[in-house]
């Protein structure tokens, strides 16, 4: 009935999503909508839209930002356009623009992006900082850091220091940050729509493995965040083990305070009850995008203050 | 007018300004060191030298860091002995100076982005300061930089000759291929 899925995953999603289970499964049977973020470091949104519209592309605005658009019609590959090569836009899932917006970085701040490649969120943070201030972008993988650098160059980003390091060792830099984005490595179970292999590959062991890693990363983030500093935690997973559990850990064990999301109205509330267990009610302040809400990937965001 | 420059090697050897180096870059691409204004120059030395330009603010953070960066700020060029390869970001900035530039039509743009040379039929116009063998920035009709090429003509003599007039060096099609 649910083609290609393991029984484990079907049962898990049924328990997790309850009455929304069928809608989630239907969304995962389709590719998520492609989106573009206009790069206001290089071009005005309308100028870029108009150029692309003249080439036959069609767009519709996402609800939470006036420079992020869903692609409704793509007569040729967007990445083959001059506008793409000029760095006038970045192709990314619309939900992936939410963490930088929630982080709300200012142009006089020092910001850490803990898992930076391929650079969608780093270049977005730079855009919001108007290419001022400093972003430290950490990436451990040599090939992925090259991709990050190409994207920084294409997008005209000049305020980034790229570091090749395991983010759990970020303390070794001897820097403190005003704001941190931790878009954590995860099972990516919110991307089943485009990564069909996940239907079979995901297991409880994998969820637990990532959960452990995410706790390590949020601990590392705490050590380099200034007192009163802001941490935005996000994943492209809908799993509580990778999301609410991590946020609860950050609040209860690391002394963070969970904040209300600026764009909370666009999210489904975080879950204080899952898999039959009750957790603190404050977890409702977290935000989850379920894939059927906007025909995107599934996503999770939480905003914390130290 | 240049501000105070200083060059810092990422292996933490600090050296004074080498004015001859700037002269050399300007001979390759006249006025290119205008891009240095208000920036601090950092040279990462390995098998080649990578030149980065950073803000004072970034310099303060960089100095505090106890780990070497992989890259930082604006990537200006890579120098290997006598060869210098200006970055595509430098092409963007240099195109704004409207010097040593060849403007190509849509057809020429497509060809150049696929590593092809520029022929007479691709050229809309060019600046009047081009000599044979000069490094030139190739731009489209909106003056958007596509990359760098080597002029096989001089603007004084015009572009009457057959065959390639600008030899391809680098182009932004790179961003898709990688």
């Amino acid at each position: 009935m649910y083609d290609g899925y393991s029984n484990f995953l079907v049962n898990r999603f049924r328990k997790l999503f309850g009455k929304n289970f069928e809608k989630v499964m239907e969304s995962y049977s389709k590719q998520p909508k492609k989106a573009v973020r206009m790069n206001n470091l290089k071009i005005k949104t309308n100028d870029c839209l108009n150029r692309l519209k003249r080439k036959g592309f069609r767009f519709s605005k996402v609800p939470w930002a006036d420079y992020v658009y869903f692609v409704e019609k793509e007569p040729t590959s967007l990445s083959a356009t001059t506008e793409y090569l000029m760095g006038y836009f970045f192709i990314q899932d619309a939900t992936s623009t939410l963490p930088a917006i929630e982080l709300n970085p200012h142009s006089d701040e020092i910001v850490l992006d803990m898992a930076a490649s391929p650079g969608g969120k780093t270049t977005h943070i730079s855009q919001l900082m108007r290419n001022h201030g400093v972003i430290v972008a950490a990436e451990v993988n040599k090939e992925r850091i090259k991709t990050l650098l190409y994207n920084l160059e294409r997008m005209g980003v000049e305020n980034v220091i790229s570091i090749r390091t395991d983010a759990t060792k970020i303390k070794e830099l001897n820097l403190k940050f005003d704001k941190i984005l931790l878009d954590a490595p995860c099972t990516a179970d919110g991307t089943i729509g485009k990564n069909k292999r996940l239907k079979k590959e995901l297991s409880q062991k994998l969820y637990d493995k990532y959960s452990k890693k995410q706790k390590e990363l949020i601990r590392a983030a705490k050590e380099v965040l200034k007192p009163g500093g802001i941490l935005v935690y996000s994943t492209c997973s809908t799993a509580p083990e990778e999301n609410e559990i991590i946020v609860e850990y950050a609040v209860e064990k690391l002394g963070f305070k969970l904040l209300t999301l600026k764009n909370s109205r666009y999210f489904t509330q975080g879950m204080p009850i899952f898999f039959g267990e009750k957790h603190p009610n404050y977890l409702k302040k977290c935000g989850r995008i379920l894939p059927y809400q906007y025909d995107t990937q599934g996503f999770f965001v939480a905003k914390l203050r130290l | 007018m240049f501000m105070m420059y200083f060059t810092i090697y990422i292996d933490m050897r600090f050296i004074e300004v080498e004015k001859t180096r700037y002269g050399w870059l300007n001979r390759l691409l006249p006025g290119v060191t205008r891009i240095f204004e208000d920036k601090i120059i950092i040279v990462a030395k390995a098998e080649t030298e990578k030149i980065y330009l950073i803000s004072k603010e970034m310099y303060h953070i960089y100095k505090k860091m106890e780990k070497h960066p992989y890259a930082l700020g604006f990537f200006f060029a890579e120098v290997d002995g006598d060869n210098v390869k200006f970055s595509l970001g430098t092409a963007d900035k240099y195109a704004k100076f409207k010097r040593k530039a060849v403007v190509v039509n849509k057809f020429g743009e497509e060809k150049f982005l696929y590593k092809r040379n520029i022929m007479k039929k691709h050229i809309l116009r060019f600046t009047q300061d081009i000599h044979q063998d000069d490094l030139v920035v190739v731009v489209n009709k909106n003056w958007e930089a596509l990359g760098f090429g080597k002029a096989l003509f001089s603007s004084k003599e015009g572009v009457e000759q057959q065959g390639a007039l600008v030899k391809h060096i680098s182009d932004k099609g790179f961003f898709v291929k990688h």
Side-chain angles (χ1 to χ4, degrees):
Chain A
M1 185 174 175
Y2 300 108
D3 193 30
Y5 282 89
S6 65
N7 287 336
F8 160 75
L9 206 57
V10 172
N11 290 335
R12 179 186 165 85
F13 282 175
R14 202 186 293 277
K15 279 185 212 158
L16 190 62
F17 298 122
K19 63 180 172 38
N20 296 322
F21 168 73
E22 289 296 344
K23 284 197 278 187
V24 169
M25 296 304 267
E26 197 195 328
S27 295
Y28 282 152
S29 69
K30 299 179 287 194
Q31 285 277 335
K33 261 189 188 176
K34 191 181 273 187
V36 289
R37 170 176 52 83
M38 301 302 167
N39 180 14
N40 300 143
L41 289 179
K42 284 199 158 189
I43 194 167
K44 288 179 182 159
T45 297
N46 278 340
D47 291 348
C48 187
L49 282 175
N50 289 336
R51 284 176 65 145
L52 292 168
K53 281 178 189 169
R54 282 198 293 272
K55 294 179 178 181
F57 293 93
R58 292 292 175 266
F59 303 94
S60 63
K61 201 174 79 60
V62 305
W64 54 82
D66 58 8
Y67 55 91
V68 184
Y69 284 77
F70 288 117
V71 181
E72 301 294 349
K73 188 180 168 195
E74 189 180 6
T76 56
S77 170
L78 266 167
S79 58
T81 59
T82 303
E83 289 74 16
Y84 176 84
L85 298 180
M86 295 299 156
Y88 293 163
F89 61 85
F90 199 98
I91 302 169
Q92 59 193 145
D93 192 275
T95 57
S96 296
T97 61
L98 285 160
I101 293 170
E102 288 299 334
L103 193 68
N104 191 25
H106 297 149
S107 55
D108 57 349
E109 290 176 331
I110 168 167
V111 177
L112 171 66
D113 186 350
M114 286 183 80
S117 194
K121 296 176 189 75
T122 316
T123 55
H124 190 183
I125 294 169
S126 178
Q127 179 175 333
L128 296 173
M129 295 170 83
R130 299 172 193 275
N131 232 345
H132 293 295
V134 177
I135 303 167
V136 173
E139 176 57 54
V140 69
N141 182 290
K142 194 176 174 182
E143 288 311 307
R144 284 173 62 82
I145 205 167
K146 284 182 188 165
T147 307
L148 169 69
L149 297 186
Y150 298 148
N151 277 321
L152 296 180
E153 188 174 6
R154 184 175 65 87
M155 303 294 278
V157 168
E158 300 180 16
N159 63 337
V160 172
I161 301 178
S162 307
I163 301 283
R164 191 173 165 216
T165 189
D166 177 345
T168 57
K169 294 176 182 162
I170 203 74
K171 195 182 171 185
E172 291 173 6
L173 291 184
N174 195 30
L175 293 177
K176 289 279 185 183
F177 298 90
D178 298 302
K179 286 177 180 164
I180 297 177
L181 174 61
L182 173 52
D183 184 49
C186 65
T187 60
D189 83 356
T191 71
I192 288 174
K194 60 183 175 191
N195 296 317
K196 304 291 184 197
R197 61 179 174 76
L198 292 173
K199 292 177 182 179
K200 272 265 181 279
E201 284 177 9
L202 292 172
S203 63
Q204 189 58 51
K205 201 174 157 190
L206 206 59
Y207 283 111
D208 294 341
K209 181 186 146 192
Y210 274 105
S211 189
K212 193 177 162 204
K213 181 74 179 171
Q214 289 148 355
K215 280 183 185 166
E216 279 176 43
L217 285 165
I218 211 161
R219 268 201 310 270
K222 189 223 165 175
E223 294 193 322
V224 295
L225 188 60
K226 289 179 185 173
I230 298 289
L231 168 75
V232 167
Y233 176 83
S234 63
T235 68
C236 56
S237 166
T238 56
E241 294 94 326
E242 302 187 81
N243 297 316
E244 279 88 348
I245 292 278
I246 307 302
V247 172
E248 188 179 346
Y249 173 77
V251 172
E252 302 296 333
K253 305 285 184 195
L254 303 178
F256 280 98
K257 184 178 182 229
L258 182 61
L259 304 178
T260 302
L261 295 168
K262 187 175 150 198
N263 288 289
S264 57
R265 64 188 180 280
Y266 302 118
F267 289 91
T268 298
Q269 283 184 342
M271 296 190 289
I273 300 171
F274 46 84
F275 302 133
E277 282 183 24
K278 199 165 179 325
H279 292 261
N281 213 39
Y282 59 70
L283 291 173
K284 281 184 179 173
K285 288 183 183 173
C286 302
R288 186 180 265 92
I289 301 281
L290 294 168
Y292 60 82
Q293 286 183 263
Y294 306 101
D295 294 328
T296 60
Q297 63 185 8
F299 206 74
F300 178 91
V301 182
K303 187 172 179 177
L304 299 140
R305 175 181 285 137
L306 193 57
Chain B
M1 168 129 176
F2 295 145
M3 304 288 287
M4 273 185 60
Y5 303 136
F6 51 103
T7 309
I8 302 153
Y9 285 88
I10 279 184
D11 62 7
M12 305 305 278
R13 279 190 292 126
F14 288 66
I15 64 164
E16 289 182 15
V17 177
E18 293 174 62
K19 286 194 172 162
T20 50
R21 162 167 283 174
Y22 303 133
W24 173 57
L25 292 173
N26 281 327
R27 275 197 299 280
L28 284 170
L29 213 47
V32 71
T33 53
R34 277 171 60 194
I35 296 172
F36 293 176
E37 279 175 30
D38 295 325
K39 298 286 184 190
I40 292 166
I41 304 161
I42 297 224
V43 178
K45 236 187 152 180
E47 287 165 17
T48 60
E49 288 185 350
K50 286 187 175 168
I51 303 174
Y52 296 96
L53 310 180
I54 67 172
S55 64
K56 289 181 186 118
E57 203 176 359
M58 183 178 283
Y59 176 67
H60 291 307
I61 302 295
Y62 162 74
K63 267 185 73 175
K64 280 191 209 165
M65 279 171 46
E66 291 191 357
K67 196 172 164 80
H68 294 324
Y70 193 85
L72 70 175
F74 173 76
F75 175 43
F76 174 74
E78 184 170 10
V79 180
D80 185 2
D82 289 339
N83 297 318
V84 58
K85 190 177 172 192
F86 291 104
S87 73
L88 294 165
T90 297
D92 276 337
K93 289 187 190 284
Y94 194 75
K96 294 193 176 104
F97 300 165
K98 302 210 167 178
R99 296 176 76 172
K100 302 278 181 192
V102 175
V103 186
V104 298
N105 59 23
K106 188 70 199 159
F107 186 48
E109 175 177 335
E110 284 167 12
K111 292 286 180 193
F112 191 73
L113 292 173
Y114 280 97
K115 298 183 181 294
R116 303 289 181 82
N117 297 333
I118 298 294
M119 320 291 273
K120 185 183 171 185
K121 63 184 174 188
H122 302 142
I123 296 178
L124 292 173
R125 57 189 180 279
F126 46 83
T127 54
Q128 293 304 308
D129 54 355
I130 297 171
H131 304 286
Q132 175 94 21
D133 297 334
D134 273 357
L135 186 64
V136 290
V137 61
V138 177
V139 301
N140 66 13
K141 65 176 167 52
N142 301 319
W143 280 88
E144 293 163 326
L146 305 173
F148 285 109
K150 181 181 172 184
L152 304 177
F153 71 99
S154 77
S155 41
K156 218 176 224 176
E157 287 164 19
V159 291
E160 291 314 310
Q161 73 208 60
Q162 294 300 308
L165 290 169
V166 178
K167 190 170 183 292
H168 175 278
I169 293 177
S170 63
D171 73 87
K172 287 189 177 173
F174 172 87
F175 291 134
V176 173
K177 291 158 208 151
H178 296 81

